[in-house]
Amino acid sequence: MPLNLAVKSSVCALLCLTVSLFAIVKADDPYRFFNWNVTYGDIYPLGVRQQGILINGQFPGPDIHSVTNDNLIINVFNSLKEPFLISWSGIQQRRNSFEDGVNGTTCPIPPGKNFTYILQVKDQIGSFYYFPSLAFHKAAGGFGGIRILSRPRIPVPFPDPAGDYTLLIGDWYKKNHTGLKGILDRGNKLPFPDGILINGRGPKGYSLTVEQGKTYRLRISNVGLQNSLNFRVQNHKMKLVEVEGTHTLQTTYSSLDVHVGQSYSVLITADQPGQDYYIVVSSRFTSQVLTTTGVLHYSNSAGPVSGDPPGGPTVQIDWSLNQARSIRTNLTASGPRPNPQGSYHYGLINTTKTIKISSSAGQVNGKQRYALNSVSYVAPDTPLKLADYFKIDGVFRDGSISYNPYCMDGGQWTSNSRNQYNLRDAVSRSTVQVYPKSWTAIYIALDNVGMWNMRSEFWARQYLGQQFYLRVYTSSTSLRDEFPIPKNALLCGRAAGRHTRPL
Ligand SMILES: *[C@@H]1O[C@H](CO)[C@@H](O)[C@H](O)[C@H]1NC(C)=O
Ligand SMILES: *[C@@H]1O[C@H](CO)[C@@H](O)[C@H](O)[C@H]1NC(C)=O
Ligand SMILES: *[C@@H]1O[C@H](CO)[C@@H](O)[C@H](O)[C@H]1NC(C)=O
Ligand SMILES: *[C@@H]1O[C@H](CO)[C@@H](O)[C@H](O)[C@H]1NC(C)=O
Ligand SMILES: *[C@@H]1O[C@H](CO)[C@@H](O)[C@H](O)[C@H]1NC(C)=O
Ligand SMILES: *[C@@H]1O[C@H](CO)[C@@H](O)[C@H](O)[C@H]1NC(C)=O
């Protein structure tokens, strides 16, 4: 049931979609096991002591390395004093929304308890990340990179890099996450962030060593709370090769906008004289520009960084829009399978439904709230997915959000706008930006049964209601459509005490 979504915004908004394409079952794919202990611990990313969320003592958390079709068995021990959940941004959760790790699909892991996620990175490649989804925990850490490599016999459209590194970039506050959550709970907006981190480090804290003449892959994800960021490396060009699981046309950029929630892979060649160079990350679309630097260190370096860090775009929207339009699928390259990515002609499929979503904000009882089509989400007492599974009434209602916003001014979308769509080689991705007073159209094939969270990636807005769940259902109960509820599923709210298997 293909669906066409036009998202309209009066301010830059980011929507995250977890629904996606293709399905085929095959047993005996390899298993990888992870044991994670989630604790609070002291971190000092901007020089002041803060309470961070660590995974196995690490901030950011450990990277997950996997290969297409691997089964990932991740046993998460919650050693915090409050409920905790991890979500897997961009991992497709084929027929398995129970494992999505957001509050509407999965019960929180109670303090002192553990829960084992069972995920399969079915028919996927590329760069993603995980993050804690409850209670503004994301502002304290608990995130890390996820990479899914191609299977050995599947061609990758560029030579093996000499090194492959995750760079998690994001805005950061000196205030701890409970302090930030308190600001939102009292009905206020978040203040401007205090800095930007690269892999948990503040200015000049992060360094990457390269050998002259060699080419490296950098997987850059914006794990921050709200700021679009521009990424660049002094005197070096970047060749974009992959966006959230799609091999792209290999275009060269001197800087790249990475909006919050998004991930990119670039190749960078150490082709400059042997010394150190600035890695620069700066905020976009803000009147006050936040900047941080890291260091690209040549192993034969003759000296430290010199000159000023290179400047980048700041408030320019057209620059960003043009760059976004230049990011396209390489139709002849292979993806997770040997057949070329262009063999799926999404542009030929007729749309069956068009939904228009508009972002809005307002005060409710004197407190700031955010909404989509004027509906602001409030968590019910039972996860929606469990309510659906156990047929518990009164938790959610189908059609509770209109398919049309009440008002949609500025950059008006009309059905004629379809003539401007890229129906050939747009990238498939989980988070898309919408520029101020503009719209973005998204095409989704609703072939993944489940309850899927669609949300603003501006984390304060998500927290204050700018999200909803998209129920993709079928009357069939076949395993081809949806996996059964996991045997170890935690049951909470009005689902507590139910049985995950018929008695
Ligand atoms: C998690 O880490 C804490 C602090 O180091 C420790 O006390 C606890 O035993 C650990 N739990 C597990 C399950 O490893
Ligand atoms: C909790 O961890 C134990 C020990 O590793 C494991 O046997 C058990 O299955 C886990 N529980 C859940 C609900 O995943
Ligand atoms: C697209 O992928 C093909 C197949 O790997 C490759 O030969 C070609 O150079 C790529 N084109 C671009 C523009 O990246
Ligand atoms: C977090 O910040 C609040 C005030 O914003 C403070 O009261 C609390 O002690 C802090 N917690 C920790 C563990 O630092
Ligand atoms: C799309 O609709 C047109 C016109 O109704 C029809 O001719 C065509 O076969 C449809 N395409 C697909 C893929 O269903
Ligand atoms: C998560 O959902 C539960 C009900 O399942 C609700 O009580 C709780 O407030 C929610 N928590 C957050 C952080 O949304």
Side-chain angles (χ1 to χ4, degrees), residues 189-222:
K189 294 185 177 178
L190 283 191
F192 194 67
D194 297 304
I196 294 172
L197 306 188
I198 306 176
N199 285 349
R201 308 289 188 90
K204 291 200 185 168
Y206 175 73
S207 170
L208 175 64
T209 300
V210 294
E211 275 180 55
Q212 200 167 33
K214 296 197 168 163
T215 297
Y216 298 83
R217 179 175 187 167
L218 308 184
R219 299 174 190 257
I220 308 159
S221 296
N222 185 339

PDB file of all heavy atoms in Angstrom, residues 189-222:
ATOM      1  N   LYS A 189      10.897  26.144  26.749  1.00  0.00           N
ATOM      2  CA  LYS A 189      11.708  25.632  25.650  1.00  0.00           C
ATOM      3  C   LYS A 189      13.138  25.412  26.135  1.00  0.00           C
ATOM      4  O   LYS A 189      13.566  26.032  27.112  1.00  0.00           O
ATOM      5  CB  LYS A 189      11.724  26.637  24.508  1.00  0.00           C
ATOM      6  CG  LYS A 189      10.358  26.820  23.880  1.00  0.00           C
ATOM      7  CD  LYS A 189      10.439  27.742  22.679  1.00  0.00           C
ATOM      8  CE  LYS A 189       9.065  27.855  22.032  1.00  0.00           C
ATOM      9  NZ  LYS A 189       9.030  28.744  20.894  1.00  0.00           N
ATOM     10  N   LEU A 190      13.877  24.576  25.413  1.00  0.00           N
ATOM     11  CA  LEU A 190      15.282  24.354  25.779  1.00  0.00           C
ATOM     12  C   LEU A 190      16.092  25.610  25.476  1.00  0.00           C
ATOM     13  O   LEU A 190      15.824  26.295  24.492  1.00  0.00           O
ATOM     14  CB  LEU A 190      15.881  23.219  24.944  1.00  0.00           C
ATOM     15  CG  LEU A 190      15.536  21.791  25.303  1.00  0.00           C
ATOM     16  CD1 LEU A 190      16.449  20.850  24.527  1.00  0.00           C
ATOM     17  CD2 LEU A 190      15.690  21.533  26.795  1.00  0.00           C
ATOM     18  N   PRO A 191      17.102  25.901  26.285  1.00  0.00           N
ATOM     19  CA  PRO A 191      17.995  27.007  25.944  1.00  0.00           C
ATOM     20  C   PRO A 191      18.907  26.615  24.774  1.00  0.00           C
ATOM     21  O   PRO A 191      18.878  25.468  24.322  1.00  0.00           O
ATOM     22  CB  PRO A 191      18.803  27.207  27.228  1.00  0.00           C
ATOM     23  CG  PRO A 191      18.760  25.885  27.929  1.00  0.00           C
ATOM     24  CD  PRO A 191      17.469  25.230  27.525  1.00  0.00           C
ATOM     25  N   PHE A 192      19.728  27.540  24.312  1.00  0.00           N
ATOM     26  CA  PHE A 192      20.700  27.252  23.255  1.00  0.00           C
ATOM     27  C   PHE A 192      21.779  26.325  23.838  1.00  0.00           C
ATOM     28  O   PHE A 192      22.167  26.479  24.994  1.00  0.00           O
ATOM     29  CB  PHE A 192      21.319  28.586  22.802  1.00  0.00           C
ATOM     30  CG  PHE A 192      22.071  28.487  21.515  1.00  0.00           C
ATOM     31  CD1 PHE A 192      21.394  28.225  20.324  1.00  0.00           C
ATOM     32  CD2 PHE A 192      23.452  28.644  21.489  1.00  0.00           C
ATOM     33  CE1 PHE A 192      22.104  28.135  19.128  1.00  0.00           C
ATOM     34  CE2 PHE A 192      24.161  28.546  20.297  1.00  0.00           C
ATOM     35  CZ  PHE A 192      23.480  28.295  19.107  1.00  0.00           C
ATOM     36  N   PRO A 193      22.253  25.347  23.058  1.00  0.00           N
ATOM     37  CA  PRO A 193      23.243  24.406  23.609  1.00  0.00           C
ATOM     38  C   PRO A 193      24.563  25.095  23.978  1.00  0.00           C
ATOM     39  O   PRO A 193      24.848  26.207  23.537  1.00  0.00           O
ATOM     40  CB  PRO A 193      23.477  23.408  22.471  1.00  0.00           C
ATOM     41  CG  PRO A 193      22.506  23.709  21.413  1.00  0.00           C
ATOM     42  CD  PRO A 193      21.901  25.042  21.667  1.00  0.00           C
ATOM     43  N   ASP A 194      25.384  24.403  24.776  1.00  0.00           N
ATOM     44  CA  ASP A 194      26.658  24.973  25.226  1.00  0.00           C
ATOM     45  C   ASP A 194      27.824  24.621  24.317  1.00  0.00           C
ATOM     46  O   ASP A 194      28.876  25.255  24.376  1.00  0.00           O
ATOM     47  CB  ASP A 194      26.969  24.482  26.642  1.00  0.00           C
ATOM     48  CG  ASP A 194      25.932  24.954  27.638  1.00  0.00           C
ATOM     49  OD1 ASP A 194      25.719  26.178  27.716  1.00  0.00           O
ATOM     50  OD2 ASP A 194      25.309  24.102  28.305  1.00  0.00           O
ATOM     51  N   GLY A 195      27.665  23.586  23.514  1.00  0.00           N
ATOM     52  CA  GLY A 195      28.787  23.200  22.663  1.00  0.00           C
ATOM     53  C   GLY A 195      28.393  22.073  21.734  1.00  0.00           C
ATOM     54  O   GLY A 195      27.232  21.685  21.651  1.00  0.00           O
ATOM     55  N   ILE A 196      29.417  21.577  21.000  1.00  0.00           N
ATOM     56  CA  ILE A 196      29.216  20.460  20.076  1.00  0.00           C
ATOM     57  C   ILE A 196      30.259  19.412  20.431  1.00  0.00           C
ATOM     58  O   ILE A 196      31.420  19.758  20.716  1.00  0.00           O
ATOM     59  CB  ILE A 196      29.399  20.927  18.616  1.00  0.00           C
ATOM     60  CG1 ILE A 196      28.295  21.922  18.243  1.00  0.00           C
ATOM     61  CG2 ILE A 196      29.398  19.749  17.651  1.00  0.00           C
ATOM     62  CD1 ILE A 196      28.494  22.575  16.890  1.00  0.00           C
ATOM     63  N   LEU A 197      29.870  18.159  20.407  1.00  0.00           N
ATOM     64  CA  LEU A 197      30.822  17.082  20.702  1.00  0.00           C
ATOM     65  C   LEU A 197      31.096  16.260  19.445  1.00  0.00           C
ATOM     66  O   LEU A 197      30.227  16.092  18.588  1.00  0.00           O
ATOM     67  CB  LEU A 197      30.269  16.139  21.777  1.00  0.00           C
ATOM     68  CG  LEU A 197      29.809  16.746  23.102  1.00  0.00           C
ATOM     69  CD1 LEU A 197      29.482  15.620  24.089  1.00  0.00           C
ATOM     70  CD2 LEU A 197      30.857  17.682  23.688  1.00  0.00           C
ATOM     71  N   ILE A 198      32.313  15.761  19.355  1.00  0.00           N
ATOM     72  CA  ILE A 198      32.672  14.747  18.356  1.00  0.00           C
ATOM     73  C   ILE A 198      33.088  13.521  19.154  1.00  0.00           C
ATOM     74  O   ILE A 198      34.046  13.584  19.926  1.00  0.00           O
ATOM     75  CB  ILE A 198      33.845  15.195  17.455  1.00  0.00           C
ATOM     76  CG1 ILE A 198      33.558  16.540  16.796  1.00  0.00           C
ATOM     77  CG2 ILE A 198      34.171  14.106  16.431  1.00  0.00           C
ATOM     78  CD1 ILE A 198      34.727  17.092  15.950  1.00  0.00           C
ATOM     79  N   ASN A 199      32.364  12.428  19.014  1.00  0.00           N
ATOM     80  CA  ASN A 199      32.619  11.204  19.791  1.00  0.00           C
ATOM     81  C   ASN A 199      32.809  11.492  21.286  1.00  0.00           C
ATOM     82  O   ASN A 199      33.751  11.003  21.921  1.00  0.00           O
ATOM     83  CB  ASN A 199      33.814  10.435  19.232  1.00  0.00           C
ATOM     84  CG  ASN A 199      33.456   9.705  17.946  1.00  0.00           C
ATOM     85  OD1 ASN A 199      32.275   9.610  17.589  1.00  0.00           O
ATOM     86  ND2 ASN A 199      34.449   9.202  17.243  1.00  0.00           N
ATOM     87  N   GLY A 200      31.920  12.319  21.825  1.00  0.00           N
ATOM     88  CA  GLY A 200      31.923  12.571  23.260  1.00  0.00           C
ATOM     89  C   GLY A 200      32.990  13.551  23.729  1.00  0.00           C
ATOM     90  O   GLY A 200      33.136  13.773  24.922  1.00  0.00           O
ATOM     91  N   ARG A 201      33.745  14.125  22.796  1.00  0.00           N
ATOM     92  CA  ARG A 201      34.801  15.062  23.178  1.00  0.00           C
ATOM     93  C   ARG A 201      34.466  16.474  22.731  1.00  0.00           C
ATOM     94  O   ARG A 201      33.914  16.668  21.651  1.00  0.00           O
ATOM     95  CB  ARG A 201      36.140  14.677  22.512  1.00  0.00           C
ATOM     96  CG  ARG A 201      36.562  13.239  22.711  1.00  0.00           C
ATOM     97  CD  ARG A 201      36.973  13.008  24.158  1.00  0.00           C
ATOM     98  NE  ARG A 201      37.549  11.684  24.328  1.00  0.00           N
ATOM     99  CZ  ARG A 201      38.854  11.424  24.195  1.00  0.00           C
ATOM    100  NH1 ARG A 201      39.706  12.381  23.881  1.00  0.00           N
ATOM    101  NH2 ARG A 201      39.304  10.195  24.368  1.00  0.00           N
ATOM    102  N   GLY A 202      34.884  17.428  23.542  1.00  0.00           N
ATOM    103  CA  GLY A 202      34.697  18.843  23.225  1.00  0.00           C
ATOM    104  C   GLY A 202      35.835  19.342  22.335  1.00  0.00           C
ATOM    105  O   GLY A 202      36.552  18.552  21.719  1.00  0.00           O
ATOM    106  N   PRO A 203      36.008  20.682  22.262  1.00  0.00           N
ATOM    107  CA  PRO A 203      37.004  21.281  21.362  1.00  0.00           C
ATOM    108  C   PRO A 203      38.398  20.648  21.464  1.00  0.00           C
ATOM    109  O   PRO A 203      38.925  20.472  22.560  1.00  0.00           O
ATOM    110  CB  PRO A 203      37.022  22.743  21.799  1.00  0.00           C
ATOM    111  CG  PRO A 203      35.639  22.979  22.331  1.00  0.00           C
ATOM    112  CD  PRO A 203      35.224  21.684  22.980  1.00  0.00           C
ATOM    113  N   LYS A 204      38.962  20.302  20.329  1.00  0.00           N
ATOM    114  CA  LYS A 204      40.293  19.688  20.177  1.00  0.00           C
ATOM    115  C   LYS A 204      40.444  18.396  20.971  1.00  0.00           C
ATOM    116  O   LYS A 204      41.558  17.927  21.213  1.00  0.00           O
ATOM    117  CB  LYS A 204      41.410  20.679  20.560  1.00  0.00           C
ATOM    118  CG  LYS A 204      41.524  21.824  19.566  1.00  0.00           C
ATOM    119  CD  LYS A 204      42.872  22.507  19.647  1.00  0.00           C
ATOM    120  CE  LYS A 204      42.899  23.720  18.713  1.00  0.00           C
ATOM    121  NZ  LYS A 204      44.043  24.583  18.940  1.00  0.00           N
ATOM    122  N   GLY A 205      39.340  17.829  21.391  1.00  0.00           N
ATOM    123  CA  GLY A 205      39.423  16.618  22.202  1.00  0.00           C
ATOM    124  C   GLY A 205      39.514  15.354  21.362  1.00  0.00           C
ATOM    125  O   GLY A 205      40.034  14.344  21.810  1.00  0.00           O
ATOM    126  N   TYR A 206      38.998  15.421  20.129  1.00  0.00           N
ATOM    127  CA  TYR A 206      38.967  14.208  19.314  1.00  0.00           C
ATOM    128  C   TYR A 206      40.052  14.269  18.250  1.00  0.00           C
ATOM    129  O   TYR A 206      40.236  15.288  17.588  1.00  0.00           O
ATOM    130  CB  TYR A 206      37.608  14.055  18.624  1.00  0.00           C
ATOM    131  CG  TYR A 206      37.588  12.872  17.689  1.00  0.00           C
ATOM    132  CD1 TYR A 206      37.553  11.572  18.192  1.00  0.00           C
ATOM    133  CD2 TYR A 206      37.662  13.047  16.301  1.00  0.00           C
ATOM    134  CE1 TYR A 206      37.566  10.474  17.339  1.00  0.00           C
ATOM    135  CE2 TYR A 206      37.669  11.949  15.448  1.00  0.00           C
ATOM    136  CZ  TYR A 206      37.630  10.676  15.978  1.00  0.00           C
ATOM    137  OH  TYR A 206      37.660   9.593  15.132  1.00  0.00           O
ATOM    138  N   SER A 207      40.787  13.177  18.113  1.00  0.00           N
ATOM    139  CA  SER A 207      41.853  13.130  17.126  1.00  0.00           C
ATOM    140  C   SER A 207      41.798  11.809  16.369  1.00  0.00           C
ATOM    141  O   SER A 207      41.538  10.762  16.953  1.00  0.00           O
ATOM    142  CB  SER A 207      43.187  13.299  17.857  1.00  0.00           C
ATOM    143  OG  SER A 207      44.242  13.036  16.983  1.00  0.00           O
ATOM    144  N   LEU A 208      42.007  11.885  15.060  1.00  0.00           N
ATOM    145  CA  LEU A 208      41.970  10.695  14.209  1.00  0.00           C
ATOM    146  C   LEU A 208      43.295  10.625  13.462  1.00  0.00           C
ATOM    147  O   LEU A 208      43.683  11.578  12.791  1.00  0.00           O
ATOM    148  CB  LEU A 208      40.806  10.839  13.221  1.00  0.00           C
ATOM    149  CG  LEU A 208      40.639   9.762  12.163  1.00  0.00           C
ATOM    150  CD1 LEU A 208      40.330   8.422  12.814  1.00  0.00           C
ATOM    151  CD2 LEU A 208      39.505  10.144  11.215  1.00  0.00           C
ATOM    152  N   THR A 209      44.008   9.503  13.614  1.00  0.00           N
ATOM    153  CA  THR A 209      45.316   9.375  12.971  1.00  0.00           C
ATOM    154  C   THR A 209      45.186   8.665  11.628  1.00  0.00           C
ATOM    155  O   THR A 209      44.538   7.618  11.528  1.00  0.00           O
ATOM    156  CB  THR A 209      46.283   8.604  13.887  1.00  0.00           C
ATOM    157  OG1 THR A 209      46.399   9.333  15.107  1.00  0.00           O
ATOM    158  CG2 THR A 209      47.662   8.466  13.259  1.00  0.00           C
ATOM    159  N   VAL A 210      45.787   9.267  10.587  1.00  0.00           N
ATOM    160  CA  VAL A 210      45.729   8.681   9.243  1.00  0.00           C
ATOM    161  C   VAL A 210      47.150   8.563   8.682  1.00  0.00           C
ATOM    162  O   VAL A 210      48.058   9.263   9.128  1.00  0.00           O
ATOM    163  CB  VAL A 210      44.864   9.542   8.290  1.00  0.00           C
ATOM    164  CG1 VAL A 210      43.411   9.531   8.731  1.00  0.00           C
ATOM    165  CG2 VAL A 210      45.389  10.973   8.199  1.00  0.00           C
ATOM    166  N   GLU A 211      47.312   7.679   7.708  1.00  0.00           N
ATOM    167  CA  GLU A 211      48.609   7.557   7.032  1.00  0.00           C
ATOM    168  C   GLU A 211      48.516   8.228   5.686  1.00  0.00           C
ATOM    169  O   GLU A 211      47.545   8.038   4.950  1.00  0.00           O
ATOM    170  CB  GLU A 211      48.961   6.080   6.827  1.00  0.00           C
ATOM    171  CG  GLU A 211      49.630   5.458   8.020  1.00  0.00           C
ATOM    172  CD  GLU A 211      49.948   3.996   7.747  1.00  0.00           C
ATOM    173  OE1 GLU A 211      50.625   3.701   6.735  1.00  0.00           O
ATOM    174  OE2 GLU A 211      49.469   3.168   8.536  1.00  0.00           O
ATOM    175  N   GLN A 212      49.565   8.982   5.372  1.00  0.00           N
ATOM    176  CA  GLN A 212      49.564   9.736   4.135  1.00  0.00           C
ATOM    177  C   GLN A 212      49.339   8.806   2.938  1.00  0.00           C
ATOM    178  O   GLN A 212      49.922   7.725   2.863  1.00  0.00           O
ATOM    179  CB  GLN A 212      50.890  10.466   3.976  1.00  0.00           C
ATOM    180  CG  GLN A 212      50.797  11.609   3.006  1.00  0.00           C
ATOM    181  CD  GLN A 212      52.014  12.500   3.096  1.00  0.00           C
ATOM    182  OE1 GLN A 212      53.103  12.013   3.373  1.00  0.00           O
ATOM    183  NE2 GLN A 212      51.829  13.774   2.883  1.00  0.00           N
ATOM    184  N   GLY A 213      48.467   9.240   2.033  1.00  0.00           N
ATOM    185  CA  GLY A 213      48.217   8.481   0.803  1.00  0.00           C
ATOM    186  C   GLY A 213      47.064   7.497   0.923  1.00  0.00           C
ATOM    187  O   GLY A 213      46.596   6.979  -0.080  1.00  0.00           O
ATOM    188  N   LYS A 214      46.629   7.232   2.141  1.00  0.00           N
ATOM    189  CA  LYS A 214      45.568   6.239   2.290  1.00  0.00           C
ATOM    190  C   LYS A 214      44.172   6.887   2.361  1.00  0.00           C
ATOM    191  O   LYS A 214      44.038   8.060   2.670  1.00  0.00           O
ATOM    192  CB  LYS A 214      45.804   5.390   3.538  1.00  0.00           C
ATOM    193  CG  LYS A 214      47.082   4.574   3.406  1.00  0.00           C
ATOM    194  CD  LYS A 214      47.157   3.451   4.382  1.00  0.00           C
ATOM    195  CE  LYS A 214      48.302   2.523   3.980  1.00  0.00           C
ATOM    196  NZ  LYS A 214      48.688   1.647   5.086  1.00  0.00           N
ATOM    197  N   THR A 215      43.169   6.066   2.072  1.00  0.00           N
ATOM    198  CA  THR A 215      41.779   6.543   2.053  1.00  0.00           C
ATOM    199  C   THR A 215      40.999   5.883   3.184  1.00  0.00           C
ATOM    200  O   THR A 215      41.132   4.683   3.422  1.00  0.00           O
ATOM    201  CB  THR A 215      41.141   6.227   0.687  1.00  0.00           C
ATOM    202  OG1 THR A 215      41.868   6.945  -0.312  1.00  0.00           O
ATOM    203  CG2 THR A 215      39.677   6.643   0.630  1.00  0.00           C
ATOM    204  N   TYR A 216      40.190   6.690   3.871  1.00  0.00           N
ATOM    205  CA  TYR A 216      39.451   6.234   5.052  1.00  0.00           C
ATOM    206  C   TYR A 216      37.966   6.474   4.857  1.00  0.00           C
ATOM    207  O   TYR A 216      37.563   7.422   4.200  1.00  0.00           O
ATOM    208  CB  TYR A 216      39.941   6.985   6.291  1.00  0.00           C
ATOM    209  CG  TYR A 216      41.397   6.700   6.560  1.00  0.00           C
ATOM    210  CD1 TYR A 216      42.403   7.416   5.888  1.00  0.00           C
ATOM    211  CD2 TYR A 216      41.777   5.670   7.418  1.00  0.00           C
ATOM    212  CE1 TYR A 216      43.740   7.124   6.082  1.00  0.00           C
ATOM    213  CE2 TYR A 216      43.113   5.374   7.619  1.00  0.00           C
ATOM    214  CZ  TYR A 216      44.085   6.097   6.947  1.00  0.00           C
ATOM    215  OH  TYR A 216      45.405   5.784   7.134  1.00  0.00           O
ATOM    216  N   ARG A 217      37.181   5.632   5.511  1.00  0.00           N
ATOM    217  CA  ARG A 217      35.737   5.833   5.515  1.00  0.00           C
ATOM    218  C   ARG A 217      35.337   6.436   6.858  1.00  0.00           C
ATOM    219  O   ARG A 217      35.705   5.908   7.904  1.00  0.00           O
ATOM    220  CB  ARG A 217      35.027   4.494   5.322  1.00  0.00           C
ATOM    221  CG  ARG A 217      33.502   4.603   5.328  1.00  0.00           C
ATOM    222  CD  ARG A 217      32.879   3.254   5.007  1.00  0.00           C
ATOM    223  NE  ARG A 217      31.435   3.365   4.852  1.00  0.00           N
ATOM    224  CZ  ARG A 217      30.670   2.404   4.328  1.00  0.00           C
ATOM    225  NH1 ARG A 217      31.208   1.273   3.918  1.00  0.00           N
ATOM    226  NH2 ARG A 217      29.367   2.566   4.225  1.00  0.00           N
ATOM    227  N   LEU A 218      34.623   7.532   6.825  1.00  0.00           N
ATOM    228  CA  LEU A 218      34.091   8.131   8.048  1.00  0.00           C
ATOM    229  C   LEU A 218      32.579   7.974   8.017  1.00  0.00           C
ATOM    230  O   LEU A 218      31.935   8.331   7.031  1.00  0.00           O
ATOM    231  CB  LEU A 218      34.438   9.624   8.140  1.00  0.00           C
ATOM    232  CG  LEU A 218      35.897  10.027   7.972  1.00  0.00           C
ATOM    233  CD1 LEU A 218      36.041  11.542   8.195  1.00  0.00           C
ATOM    234  CD2 LEU A 218      36.792   9.275   8.959  1.00  0.00           C
ATOM    235  N   ARG A 219      32.027   7.420   9.086  1.00  0.00           N
ATOM    236  CA  ARG A 219      30.566   7.279   9.201  1.00  0.00           C
ATOM    237  C   ARG A 219      30.108   8.322  10.201  1.00  0.00           C
ATOM    238  O   ARG A 219      30.352   8.200  11.396  1.00  0.00           O
ATOM    239  CB  ARG A 219      30.216   5.882   9.703  1.00  0.00           C
ATOM    240  CG  ARG A 219      30.678   4.776   8.761  1.00  0.00           C
ATOM    241  CD  ARG A 219      30.432   3.427   9.404  1.00  0.00           C
ATOM    242  NE  ARG A 219      31.075   2.365   8.645  1.00  0.00           N
ATOM    243  CZ  ARG A 219      30.440   1.539   7.824  1.00  0.00           C
ATOM    244  NH1 ARG A 219      29.143   1.645   7.673  1.00  0.00           N
ATOM    245  NH2 ARG A 219      31.096   0.595   7.173  1.00  0.00           N
ATOM    246  N   ILE A 220      29.453   9.354   9.679  1.00  0.00           N
ATOM    247  CA  ILE A 220      29.113  10.519  10.493  1.00  0.00           C
ATOM    248  C   ILE A 220      27.623  10.486  10.816  1.00  0.00           C
ATOM    249  O   ILE A 220      26.796  10.451   9.906  1.00  0.00           O
ATOM    250  CB  ILE A 220      29.439  11.814   9.714  1.00  0.00           C
ATOM    251  CG1 ILE A 220      30.890  11.774   9.203  1.00  0.00           C
ATOM    252  CG2 ILE A 220      29.196  13.047  10.569  1.00  0.00           C
ATOM    253  CD1 ILE A 220      31.138  12.725   8.049  1.00  0.00           C
ATOM    254  N   SER A 221      27.278  10.485  12.106  1.00  0.00           N
ATOM    255  CA  SER A 221      25.868  10.551  12.497  1.00  0.00           C
ATOM    256  C   SER A 221      25.666  11.739  13.418  1.00  0.00           C
ATOM    257  O   SER A 221      26.479  11.969  14.317  1.00  0.00           O
ATOM    258  CB  SER A 221      25.437   9.296  13.267  1.00  0.00           C
ATOM    259  OG  SER A 221      25.511   8.154  12.458  1.00  0.00           O
ATOM    260  N   ASN A 222      24.573  12.466  13.232  1.00  0.00           N
ATOM    261  CA  ASN A 222      24.220  13.563  14.129  1.00  0.00           C
ATOM    262  C   ASN A 222      23.297  13.003  15.217  1.00  0.00           C
ATOM    263  O   ASN A 222      22.128  12.757  14.980  1.00  0.00           O
ATOM    264  CB  ASN A 222      23.538  14.693  13.359  1.00  0.00           C
ATOM    265  CG  ASN A 222      23.270  15.908  14.235  1.00  0.00           C
ATOM    266  OD1 ASN A 222      23.214  15.803  15.471  1.00  0.00           O
ATOM    267  ND2 ASN A 222      23.091  17.058  13.612  1.00  0.00           N
TER     268      ASN A 222
END
